[in-house]
Amino acid sequence: MSITGALLDRFPQAALTAAVATQAVGMLGLYAAGTDPVAAVVFLLLMGSALGPVFMTTQNAMLHCAPGRTDIALAANSGAYNAGIAAGAALGAMSTPPMLGRQVKSSSWSRNHDSDVKVVLPPSAR
């Protein structure tokens, strides 16, 4: 993140492009080699390291767009960011087949820790 702060003043558009491109490389890497545990960790680290800079660059852009009302600009940016997270989770939930819930319930971890964790499935997935 310290690198992002230094780049934002000089190259704001390039900082955002680099952060989004880093996330894209991480996602494509997970798609291509995500079954290998070492590769999965590397690509997840890559994606995670780009998450903060994306948010920082959008905040920086919002502050430049509304210099007189920075409180509202930051609140709008945070709200839009969280709405995007919620929308992504909703789309993921709608596109996941109900069969995945059964796989989670029948995993060895949940069988060995039945008293600790309860997986609640909707009636349609049982």
Side-chain angles (χ1 to χ4, degrees):
M1 285 196 198
S2 60
I3 295 171
T4 305
L7 292 176
L8 274 177
D9 289 335
R10 295 181 191 99
F11 313 105
Q13 189 63 37
L16 179 61
T17 303
V20 171
T22 302
Q23 284 188 329
V25 167
M27 288 182 199
L28 289 172
L30 278 175
Y31 177 75
T35 56
D36 177 34
V38 175
V41 168
V42 168
F43 289 120
L44 284 170
L45 284 171
L46 194 64
M47 285 176 46
S49 67
L51 190 60
V54 168
F55 191 62
M56 290 171 61
T57 55
T58 57
Q59 278 187 327
N60 187 47
M62 291 294 284
L63 291 175
H64 284 288
C65 289
R69 298 302 308 248
T70 57
D71 53 344
I72 293 174
L74 291 178
N77 186 53
S78 181
Y81 199 75
N82 287 320
I85 292 171
L91 286 172
M94 289 188 298
S95 66
T96 304
M99 184 64 76
L100 287 177
R102 291 190 193 118
Q103 291 172 351
V104 170
K105 184 176 180 183
S106 65
S107 71
S108 62
W109 192 90
S110 64
R111 281 195 307 266
N112 294 335
H113 298 85
D114 191 40
S115 62
D116 298 334
V117 176
K118 299 289 184 198
V119 177
V120 179
L121 297 174
S124 62
R126 292 185 190 159

